[in-house]
Amino acid sequence: QVQLVESGGGLVQAGGSLRLSCAPSGSLFTISTMAWHRQAPGNQRELVAEISRGGNVKYADFVEGRFTISRDSAKNSVFLQMKSLNPEDTAVYYCYARLIPSLASRWSDYWGQGTQVTVNT
Protein backbone atom coordinates (compact mmCIF):
# COMPACT_ATOMS: atom_id res chain seq x y z
CA GLN A 1 0.00 0.00 0.00
CA VAL A 2 1.28 3.45 -0.87
CA GLN A 3 2.26 5.69 2.01
CA LEU A 4 3.53 9.25 1.89
CA VAL A 5 6.68 9.72 3.94
CA GLU A 6 7.67 13.21 5.07
CA SER A 7 10.98 14.44 6.39
CA GLY A 8 12.72 17.69 7.19
CA GLY A 9 10.71 19.12 10.06
CA GLY A 10 12.31 20.31 13.25
CA LEU A 11 13.06 23.21 15.54
CA VAL A 12 14.29 26.50 14.09
CA GLN A 13 14.75 30.05 15.32
CA ALA A 14 12.56 32.83 13.97
CA GLY A 15 13.93 34.01 10.64
CA GLY A 16 15.39 30.61 9.88
CA SER A 17 14.73 28.13 7.10
CA LEU A 18 13.62 24.54 6.72
CA ARG A 19 13.10 22.25 3.75
CA LEU A 20 10.40 19.61 3.88
CA SER A 21 10.43 16.56 1.64
CA CYS A 22 7.79 13.98 0.85
CA ALA A 23 7.91 10.85 -1.24
CA PRO A 24 5.68 7.82 -1.57
CA SER A 25 6.86 4.48 -0.32
CA GLY A 26 6.26 1.63 -2.71
CA SER A 27 5.21 1.84 -6.32
CA LEU A 28 2.16 3.59 -7.71
CA PHE A 29 0.43 3.94 -11.06
CA THR A 30 0.24 7.71 -11.44
CA ILE A 31 0.20 10.86 -9.34
CA SER A 32 -1.41 14.23 -9.94
CA THR A 33 -1.62 17.22 -7.60
CA MET A 34 0.72 17.27 -4.61
CA ALA A 35 0.52 19.72 -1.76
CA TRP A 36 1.50 20.70 1.74
CA HIS A 37 -1.05 21.47 4.43
CA ARG A 38 -0.50 22.39 8.05
CA GLN A 39 -2.38 22.21 11.31
CA ALA A 40 -1.54 24.20 14.42
CA PRO A 41 -2.96 23.23 17.82
CA GLY A 42 -6.59 24.27 18.08
CA ASN A 43 -6.78 25.18 14.40
CA GLN A 44 -8.17 23.44 11.35
CA ARG A 45 -5.86 21.96 8.77
CA GLU A 46 -5.12 24.53 6.08
CA LEU A 47 -3.52 24.54 2.67
CA VAL A 48 0.02 25.92 2.52
CA ALA A 49 0.89 25.28 -1.12
CA GLU A 50 0.02 22.94 -3.95
CA ILE A 51 1.58 22.03 -7.27
CA SER A 52 -0.09 20.38 -10.23
CA ARG A 53 1.39 17.67 -12.39
CA GLY A 54 2.16 20.36 -14.93
CA GLY A 55 3.96 22.51 -12.39
CA ASN A 56 1.30 25.12 -11.72
CA VAL A 57 1.58 26.35 -8.14
CA LYS A 58 -0.76 27.92 -5.66
CA TYR A 59 0.09 29.41 -2.28
CA ALA A 60 -1.90 30.43 0.75
CA ASP A 61 -1.99 34.16 1.39
CA PHE A 62 0.02 33.82 4.60
CA VAL A 63 3.00 32.43 2.66
CA GLU A 64 3.73 35.94 1.35
CA GLY A 65 6.57 34.78 -0.89
CA ARG A 66 8.47 33.01 1.89
CA PHE A 67 7.85 29.40 0.79
CA THR A 68 8.52 27.60 -2.46
CA ILE A 69 6.88 24.33 -3.45
CA SER A 70 8.52 22.11 -6.04
CA ARG A 71 8.35 18.53 -7.22
CA ASP A 72 10.51 15.88 -8.78
CA SER A 73 8.17 14.06 -11.14
CA ALA A 74 10.65 11.27 -11.78
CA LYS A 75 10.66 10.41 -8.07
CA ASN A 76 7.05 11.43 -7.35
CA SER A 77 8.42 13.71 -4.66
CA VAL A 78 7.34 17.11 -3.43
CA PHE A 79 9.33 19.67 -1.47
CA LEU A 80 8.59 22.79 0.51
CA GLN A 81 11.40 25.27 1.00
CA MET A 82 10.48 27.59 3.85
CA LYS A 83 12.35 30.82 4.63
CA SER A 84 11.83 33.68 7.04
CA LEU A 85 9.93 31.41 9.39
CA ASN A 86 8.07 32.96 12.28
CA PRO A 87 6.41 31.45 15.39
CA GLU A 88 3.01 31.56 13.63
CA ASP A 89 4.35 28.94 11.22
CA THR A 90 4.60 26.43 14.06
CA ALA A 91 2.41 23.46 13.12
CA VAL A 92 2.37 19.89 11.95
CA TYR A 93 2.94 19.92 8.20
CA TYR A 94 1.22 17.24 6.13
CA CYS A 95 2.06 16.05 2.66
CA TYR A 96 -0.88 15.40 0.33
CA ALA A 97 -1.11 13.64 -3.01
CA ARG A 98 -3.89 12.78 -5.41
CA LEU A 99 -2.89 9.48 -6.97
CA ILE A 100 -3.89 6.13 -8.43
CA PRO A 101 -2.03 3.41 -6.54
CA SER A 102 -2.43 0.68 -9.14
CA LEU A 103 -3.85 0.18 -12.63
CA ALA A 104 -7.09 -1.30 -11.27
CA SER A 105 -7.59 1.53 -8.75
CA ARG A 106 -9.21 4.95 -8.85
CA TRP A 107 -8.03 8.42 -7.99
CA SER A 108 -7.66 8.74 -4.22
CA ASP A 109 -6.41 11.26 -1.70
CA TYR A 110 -3.38 10.30 0.34
CA TRP A 111 -1.89 12.02 3.37
CA GLY A 112 1.39 11.66 5.16
CA GLN A 113 1.71 11.22 8.91
CA GLY A 114 2.87 14.79 9.37
CA THR A 115 6.13 16.38 10.42
CA GLN A 116 6.42 18.90 13.24
CA VAL A 117 7.78 22.36 12.51
CA THR A 118 8.47 24.50 15.55
CA VAL A 119 9.68 28.09 15.26
CA ASN A 120 11.06 29.71 18.38
CA THR A 121 11.29 33.45 19.03
Side-chain angles (χ1 to χ4, degrees):
Q1 182 170 347
V2 177
Q3 292 182 331
L4 298 179
V5 181
E6 301 123 329
S7 62
L11 176 64
V12 66
Q13 296 296 313
S17 300
L18 283 174
R19 186 174 187 258
L20 306 182
S21 301
C22 172
S25 64
S27 62
L28 55 88
F29 180 64
T30 189
I31 192 166
S32 179
T33 297
M34 303 187 77
W36 290 95
H37 289 68
R38 72 184 188 183
Q39 187 168 18
N43 291 353
Q44 291 186 335
R45 191 174 298 189
E46 59 183 353
L47 175 69
V48 177
E50 68 179 26
I51 183 167
S52 70
R53 183 157 49 185
N56 294 318
V57 300
K58 173 184 176 182
Y59 296 97
D61 290 342
F62 61 76
V63 168
E64 298 177 324
R66 300 178 297 130
F67 300 171
T68 302
I69 190 170
S70 60
R71 65 190 290 171
D72 181 338
S73 295
K75 298 180 180 179
N76 293 319
S77 300
V78 64
F79 310 96
L80 186 67
Q81 178 68 52
M82 303 185 293
K83 300 179 180 179
S84 301
L85 286 162
N86 58 61
E88 290 69 39
D89 294 315
T90 295
V92 177
Y93 284 70
Y94 296 92
C95 176
Y96 162 87
R98 180 79 169 164
L99 61 87
I100 299 176
S102 64
L103 182 60
S105 302
R106 297 180 177 182
W107 287 106
S108 299
D109 297 322
Y110 281 73
W111 294 89
Q113 291 295 312
T115 184
Q116 177 70 46
V117 171
T118 302
V119 185
N120 282 345
T121 56

